[in-house]
Amino acid sequence: LMFYGLGTQVMQLSIPFAVGIGGCVGALLRFYISSAVHRAVGDELAFVGTLAVNLIGCFLIGVLVVVTERTHHLSPHAQRVLVTGLLGSLTTFSAFALHSVNLLQHGRVGAAIVNVAMNVVIGVALTWLGMLAAGTVISEPAGHDSEFPLSSSETVPEPEA
């Protein structure tokens, strides 16, 4: 894998290892951003942390696509590190959004609508079904009042100082 900076080769790594490094950075960003937002808004709006990383990821993938297409400053391997590794770990929603935009840009409106509907509606439905299935197998601890396996305060653990 080659990263280029001002026309010179900076480092060379294997692609899977480099994507893994990008993934590690993305996962850490996701954790710290969503934790910070969760602390700022509280348990009632804990979902906003996930929304924040999804929206940030969507914006960044849009920026990367245009920068790559118009400047050619990133090698295809560096694009994999940033899109698949970093942004893929930060949020897979950004990849879903990019695929949807690409379908629209190629005039495949019906496919884009089906893609959005399937990801959102079926994704939410399968999340709910997975929770129901796990809930039938795993009993709730005594005194736990949530109707879901995790309460909103358990979804994003606080980072250690």
Side-chain angles (χ1 to χ4, degrees):
L1 170 67
M2 296 181 206
F3 288 87
Y4 293 95
L6 303 174
T8 57
Q9 184 177 338
V10 177
M11 76 173 70
Q12 194 166 21
L13 300 168
S14 75
I15 294 170
F17 181 72
V19 169
I21 291 171
C24 179
V25 171
L28 290 170
L29 283 172
R30 180 180 189 88
F31 175 77
Y32 285 111
I33 291 168
S34 61
S35 294
V37 171
H38 183 197
R39 277 194 310 276
V41 301
D43 289 346
E44 287 295 313
L45 297 174
F47 67 90
V48 175
T50 299
L51 177 63
V53 295
N54 285 339
L55 297 179
I56 289 167
C58 287
F59 178 77
L60 292 177
I61 203 167
V63 169
L64 274 174
V65 166
V66 171
V67 166
T68 299
E69 287 177 354
R70 294 186 182 176
T71 67
H72 305 288
H73 286 318
L74 291 174
S75 71
H77 301 305
Q79 292 172 46
R80 282 188 181 162
V81 170
L82 295 173
V83 174
T84 304
L86 186 125
L87 293 177
S89 187
L90 177 66
T91 172
T92 57
F93 191 81
S94 59
F96 151 69
L98 179 62
H99 290 300
S100 300
V101 169
N102 283 338
L103 288 168
L104 289 170
Q105 287 177 332
H106 289 94
R108 299 184 61 200
V109 176
I113 291 169
V114 169
N115 184 47
V116 170
M118 288 179 65
N119 274 280
V120 175
V121 174
I122 296 173
V124 170
L126 286 173
T127 300
W128 179 69
L129 287 172
M131 294 169 76
L132 287 176
T136 61
V137 175
I138 302 168
S139 60
E140 265 188 55
H144 197 265
D145 60 354
S146 174
E147 58 186 270
F148 300 112
L150 295 174
S151 71
S152 61
S153 63
E154 294 172 314
T155 58
V156 181
E158 293 293 321
E160 294 180 22

